[in-house]
Amino acid sequence: MDPASIAYLGSIDYLVLVALFVFSLLIGLYFAWKDRNKGTNEFLMGGRNLSPFPVMLSLIASFLSSITVLGWPAEVYYKGTQIWITLLSCYVEVFLTSEVILPIFYKLNLTSVNRYLYERYGSNFIMIMVSIVGCIATFPWLGVVLYGPSLALGAVTGLSVTASILLCGLICTVYTALGGLKAVIWTDVLQYFLMILGIVVVIVKGIIDTGGVAEVWRRADLGGRLRLFDSKIDFYNSHNQWTTLMGTTLVWTAGLSTSQALLQRTLSMPTLKKAKMVVYLALPGFQSMQVLVTTLGVVAFAYYYDCDPLRSKKIAASDQLIPYFVTDLFSSKYPGLPGLFVACVFSSTLSTLSSAFNAVAAVIWDDWLKRCFPKASVSAQVTITKIIAALAGLVCIGVAFLASQAGTLFEASYSLSGSPLGPAFAVFILGIFAPFVNSKGAIIGYLAGQITCVWIVIGGLVIKRPILSLEVSTEGCSANTTYLEPGLLVSQLKDYRIPEYHPEGIAKIYHVSHFIIPAIGFLVALIVGILFSLLTGCNRDKCVNPDLVLPCLRKYCCVKNDPKKCNKFKKHQMKQNDISETIPMKS
């Protein structure tokens, strides 16, 4: 990488960053003082009495990490706009979460979503297993979330990677451990507006410098980036509509409906109606962020359409594209604006990390430690959960220093966070949609799905797949630029397509798209869970609690040849008809 391409941040830029970190810390300190005499319900769930609007903004901010801000535009730049199809995924995830899954979970008054598995299958083992695997899988992903942006920003702004990791990780750990869910939500609100402002400012400046919206569109079309539909079924290509739609629909639905970090917010609402409202209000927020980061990628390509920074050695990796684009746009002429975008990236990192730390504390306390300290005082319980959140932050910082990227940041995100979600989501779906599935089937199915995902991910890391993307041009670069390799002429870009990839041997499994790996784990867990339940007699010896399955399937929850259980079920059904939608919180 050319050292001359590094645009170091100025004093005003650093003031913007300092302001972000100071305000985040103050929010954590405020809620630590305000809720100092309250229990774990207040620390982990905000007292279950939060307002929909800030929770909605927090949900959006946590859902979209720094990998989205940096990795998504780079994907658009190098692989085209096919990823826009993810806008349709949002409708599926929001509907399934709000109308199917959330009503069941909400009435159980859950703190940890894994508690549902114990209630449904009657097995501590599957609850603990899903909890442990989920926590273990969270930290490598969080390491990428923290390390990747620090590496990309450090390479083009002069920020030390070590300083970035320590500063971001420690500050997030402090305010999350002190202030709990309320601090997480209100810092998310601040960080959400910084994210929006930072991205919008860069897009507007990029459009102006490129020559206007029409010129941006013309250059993007000339460069072959505006391909909105590719209906070919190809599981090795991450940029056709079926692969993208399948992968994002599954991962995002699983994340919004069964991931502790996201579902914890909706379960903190005082009523089911407000919980649903949060999810529905978040829909336009999810989609607007996707539109913004896609547009950012298109504008960046239009800006560099005839002189790619990677080929001209201005950057060393595609993940550095957007930070370099920002410093190139503003340079020293606009003090404070590069700092605003860096604050935007750190905001997206902080929002994701804080949500995860709080979620890990909730899971470890509610699933593991709560039963170990049944007589602990309220203050002792709160202290334990705060220590867990702090330890989660320190572990994340350690993992960030050890992290190495599995492909690009965007691909690493899906490989590390999406793969464990697939099998776990299958176990929840089996519980809700298949009353006959028993604990043995759920356990074996989950293990089979997770082992399959781990096998594919590790195989893909050992046997690297080639990085395939659209071509770029170096036609407009200055004559004295030393190219890594020459690109195509601008006139040749429009007809260029990402080369088809046909792996051989075991690579046919290891090199499937990162979008497909979670779907494979989901299907394996689903099929094995159903088959093993059928082989082991289903739920022949017990009734499944009707509240834990889909309403239209509740008539199948009891053993038909057991009159006592059937009569008990009928009385339960009659009682349920008199219960209103909103269930009072347990004391």
Side-chain angles (χ1 to χ4, degrees), residues 351-421:
S351 63
T352 301
L353 294 180
S354 61
S355 302
F357 298 164
N358 191 259
V360 167
V363 166
I364 292 177
W365 170 254
D366 203 59
D367 292 352
W368 309 353
L369 298 182
K370 193 174 182 179
R371 70 192 68 187
C372 299
F373 301 97
K375 298 181 180 180
S377 64
V378 171
S379 60
Q381 293 177 18
V382 173
T383 300
I384 292 171
T385 53
K386 288 184 176 183
I387 290 173
I388 297 170
L391 290 175
L394 296 177
V395 171
C396 175
I397 293 170
V399 172
F401 282 113
L402 299 174
S404 61
Q405 299 177 58
T408 65
L409 289 180
F410 194 76
E411 292 178 359
S413 172
Y414 268 85
S415 296
L416 296 175
S417 66
S419 299
L421 274 179

Side-chain angles (χ1 to χ4, degrees), residues 535-554:
L535 291 174
T536 54
C538 301
N539 284 307
R540 184 171 47 201
D541 300 326
K542 68 175 183 178
C543 271
V544 174
N545 182 348
D547 287 340
L548 306 178
V549 302
L550 209 61
C552 63
L553 299 174
R554 288 174 181 171

Side-chain angles (χ1 to χ4, degrees), residues 101-410:
I101 299 174
L102 186 57
I104 294 174
F105 287 175
Y106 186 85
K107 291 184 179 182
L108 295 176
N109 203 52
L110 299 173
T111 295
S112 166
V113 67
N114 297 323
R115 181 68 58 175
Y116 168 84
L117 300 176
Y118 170 77
E119 299 291 341
R120 166 62 178 82
Y121 296 110
S123 169
N124 266 322
F125 180 75
I126 189 169
M127 180 186 74
I128 298 296
M129 182 172 59
V130 172
S131 178
I132 290 174
V133 172
C135 287
I136 292 174
T138 294
F139 288 107
W141 170 61
L142 290 179
V144 172
V145 169
L146 182 55
Y147 168 77
S150 298
L151 179 67
L153 289 170
V156 299
T157 63
L159 281 172
S160 164
V161 174
T162 300
S164 297
I165 290 175
L166 289 175
L167 189 63
C168 193
L170 289 174
I171 287 176
C172 184
T173 299
V174 170
Y175 76 71
T176 303
L178 289 177
L181 184 62
K182 289 182 181 178
V184 171
I185 286 174
W186 283 105
T187 51
D188 281 353
V189 172
L190 167 66
Q191 292 153 10
Y192 170 79
F193 286 112
L194 276 175
M195 289 164 62
I196 295 293
L197 182 60
I199 294 173
V200 168
V201 167
V202 174
I203 289 174
V204 171
K205 182 65 165 55
I207 290 174
I208 292 172
D209 285 10
T210 304
V213 174
E215 182 62 14
V216 168
W217 184 271
R218 187 190 72 81
R219 291 183 182 184
D221 182 50
L222 185 64
R225 263 54 184 179
L226 300 181
R227 296 193 183 101
L228 302 181
F229 296 98
D230 180 1
S231 58
K232 182 178 180 180
I233 299 176
D234 182 0
F235 292 146
Y236 298 103
N237 178 9
S238 301
H239 285 264
N240 64 75
Q241 63 191 41
W242 301 118
T243 302
T244 304
L245 197 59
M246 180 190 300
T248 55
T249 299
L250 176 67
V251 171
W252 291 355
T253 303
L256 190 60
S257 60
T258 60
S259 169
Q260 180 70 29
L262 297 177
L263 192 64
Q264 191 169 336
R265 284 156 174 68
T266 52
L267 294 177
S268 68
M269 291 291 96
T271 65
L272 177 58
K273 183 178 179 180
K274 289 187 176 181
K276 287 183 176 182
M277 183 191 303
V278 165
V279 178
Y280 279 118
L281 288 176
L283 174 60
F286 293 149
Q287 293 185 313
S288 62
M289 285 296 290
Q290 290 167 2
V291 170
L292 283 175
V293 291
T294 301
T295 303
L296 180 57
V298 172
V299 172
F301 176 80
Y303 191 83
Y304 295 118
Y305 82 112
D306 62 351
C307 186
D308 176 58
L310 186 58
R311 293 288 179 90
S312 58
K313 292 188 177 180
K314 299 297 183 184
I315 58 176
S318 62
D319 297 319
Q320 297 168 1
L321 171 70
I322 299 304
Y324 175 76
F325 175 47
V326 173
T327 54
D328 196 16
L329 271 180
F330 298 110
S331 188
S332 59
K333 298 179 181 178
Y334 301 91
L337 291 183
L340 175 63
F341 184 79
V342 174
C344 159
V345 175
F346 276 125
S347 293
S348 56
T349 302
L350 289 170
S351 63
T352 301
L353 294 180
S354 61
S355 302
F357 298 164
N358 191 259
V360 167
V363 166
I364 292 177
W365 170 254
D366 203 59
D367 292 352
W368 309 353
L369 298 182
K370 193 174 182 179
R371 70 192 68 187
C372 299
F373 301 97
K375 298 181 180 180
S377 64
V378 171
S379 60
Q381 293 177 18
V382 173
T383 300
I384 292 171
T385 53
K386 288 184 176 183
I387 290 173
I388 297 170
L391 290 175
L394 296 177
V395 171
C396 175
I397 293 170
V399 172
F401 282 113
L402 299 174
S404 61
Q405 299 177 58
T408 65
L409 289 180
F410 194 76

Side-chain angles (χ1 to χ4, degrees), residues 24-64:
S24 297
L25 277 175
L26 289 176
I27 291 172
L29 290 171
Y30 169 75
F31 284 108
W33 176 82
K34 184 174 181 290
D35 299 332
R36 61 192 182 281
N37 296 322
K38 297 181 180 179
T40 55
N41 184 56
E42 195 75 29
F43 182 79
L44 296 175
M45 302 300 293
R48 300 185 190 267
N49 194 31
L50 300 174
S51 301
F53 183 70
V55 173
M56 178 266 292
L57 294 180
S58 174
L59 197 63
I60 300 169
S62 300
F63 191 74
L64 300 168

Side-chain angles (χ1 to χ4, degrees), residues 462-522:
V462 174
I463 304 175
K464 297 284 187 181
R465 64 169 286 162
I467 298 176
L468 303 175
S469 61
L470 294 171
E471 263 292 354
V472 292
S473 175
T474 54
E475 183 181 352
C477 295
S478 60
N480 59 356
T481 303
T482 303
Y483 303 120
L484 182 63
E485 61 180 284
L488 297 180
L489 298 175
V490 173
S491 59
Q492 296 175 316
L493 293 179
K494 187 168 185 178
D495 296 325
Y496 189 86
R497 297 289 186 273
I498 295 178
E500 291 188 6
Y501 176 55
H502 302 287
E504 297 180 355
I506 196 66
K508 289 182 177 180
I509 298 175
Y510 293 155
H511 290 178
V512 294
S513 165
H514 54 276
F515 285 127
I516 296 299
I517 298 175
I520 293 175
F522 175 81

